[in-house]
Each structure stands twice: as C-alpha cells, then as structure tokens.
Amino acid sequence: MSTVDANANELEQTPGSQVEQVPGTDSSPLETVSRVEEEGDIAADYLEELLDIADLDGDIDIEIRSGRTYISIVSENGDDASLKDLLGHEGDGLEALQELARLAVLSATGNRSRLVLDIAGYRDGRAGELRKMAEEAVAAVKANGGEVALEPMSAYERKLVHDTIADLGLHSESEGEGGERHIVVSARDS
C-alpha cells in the first residue's frame, strides 16, 4: 500500500478528524489526495525518463504531506555522486528540474503543481544550513539591534527561513526581485 493509499484510508477511517484542504481548490479531501497522487505519478514518470536519457540510475520516492507532493531521487546503490551532478551550482539544477517536473504536471493535467523535488538529500542538508543561518541572524539582531539581510534564496528556502525566524520570536520580510529576492530579519513586529 502506498503512502497515499494509507493516507486515503486514514481519511475514511478517522471520525471527526480535520483534513487540510489545498488552498484554491473546491475538492474534497479524498479528491485532493487523488489529484496530488496523480501529480506525483506524472512528475515521477517524467523524471524517470530524464534519468534514462542521461543514463543515470536512481530510485524515485513519492510522499504526500499536507496536500503537497514530495519527490526524492536517490541512488539505487547508495552512491549519490552521479546524482549530485544534477544539483548544479548551489541547487540551480535541482530548481530547474523541479520546475520542469511542475511543467510536465501542468501540461498533463492543466493544473499547477506545488511539488517539491529533492535529489540525493540536498534539501535536507540545505534545510540544516538555512536553520543555522536563521539562528545566526536572530542572534545578531538580538545582540546588535537593527536588521540583518540574508543571501538571496528560492521561495521554498525563504519559507523555511521565515518559519524558523518566527519560531525564534523575530520578524522577517522578503525583499528584492527575481534572483535577488532575499530575507531581512529584524526585531520589529508587524
């Protein structure tokens, strides 16, 4: 039984439970699970074809969490070196492949996807780096006051940093445009 099947059964069997609906949809929770599962299958098929074309070996794992598809490409034999070439400089290749997978879903279904792609555990490692960066910025603001501007990062990474900073009790805002969009941390509440 897949993770999605287990989640669908949980939805059916848990009386009185609250199920999060995907924003911008009028779908029932079970329809949403089915739609998200379909997105994952389409994206996984697309990524599998890309791996075949590039003559790279990798297993594709699909997980559904909070109405969002998470796809991981991991090495079949535990050696992620060849897959790491797909990451590109500072994850640029990963972001491009994620966007291509999202476009494959859009093309096949007519619906935009919020899927998240990870290759060889890069996002988990990067999340740790981002938490540390956020903690250091919070410490600097608490020690010196003022504001601290962080390096530009993707929307997904900014979301992780905003959440960490909020958990630590400070304020953050995104500023800038395009590839220069970054977070500014301050003590100011808004």
Side-chain angles (χ1 to χ4, degrees):
M1 178 182 290
S2 72
T3 303
V4 174
D5 292 337
N7 288 344
N9 288 338
E10 244 177 58
L11 294 175
E12 294 168 342
Q13 297 172 358
T14 309
S17 65
Q18 293 286 345
V19 178
E20 188 176 320
Q21 186 171 352
V22 176
T25 68
D26 294 327
S27 305
S28 73
L30 290 177
E31 289 171 339
T32 300
V33 168
S34 177
R35 182 183 53 76
V36 173
E37 181 180 30
E38 178 187 17
E39 289 178 4
D41 290 341
I42 292 166
D45 289 345
Y46 177 79
L47 292 166
E48 185 69 40
E49 285 184 46
L50 282 178
L51 290 175
D52 287 345
I53 291 168
D55 196 29
L56 294 172
D57 292 326
D59 287 332
I60 297 178
D61 297 326
I62 303 171
E63 184 180 349
I64 309 297
R65 288 182 271 162
S66 300
R68 182 177 261 192
T69 304
Y70 289 81
I71 299 177
S72 300
I73 302 175
V74 295
S75 173
E76 291 176 348
N77 58 11
D79 177 22
D80 291 331
S82 63
L83 290 178
K84 288 185 179 181
D85 290 339
L86 293 174
L87 294 173
H89 178 69
E90 296 183 355
D92 289 342
L94 171 62
E95 294 295 331
L97 287 172
Q98 177 177 278
E99 191 59 30
L100 288 172
R102 287 176 173 179
L103 288 172
V105 171
L106 177 62
S107 175
T109 66
N111 295 321
R112 296 187 61 79
S113 173
R114 297 176 35 222
L115 72 86
V116 176
L117 175 63
D118 190 16
I119 298 174
Y122 176 81
R123 289 211 191 267
D124 286 338
R126 181 69 174 147
E129 293 172 14
L130 293 170
R131 270 190 298 279
K132 182 178 179 192
M133 182 188 308
E135 289 166 355
E136 290 171 354
V138 165
V141 168
K142 286 181 176 179
N144 306 322
E147 298 179 340
V148 173
L150 303 177
E151 67 187 41
M153 57 189 77
S154 71
Y156 179 79
E157 290 179 342
R158 287 194 310 274
K159 168 79 168 99
L160 294 176
V161 172
H162 282 302
D163 290 349
T164 301
I165 290 168
D167 289 345
L168 295 171
L170 289 189
H171 175 77
S172 60
E173 286 184 22
S174 292
E175 294 183 357
E177 298 293 326
E180 295 302 312
R181 194 137 175 92
H182 63 279
I183 292 177
V184 176
V185 182
S186 67
R188 174 176 55 89
D189 287 327
S190 55

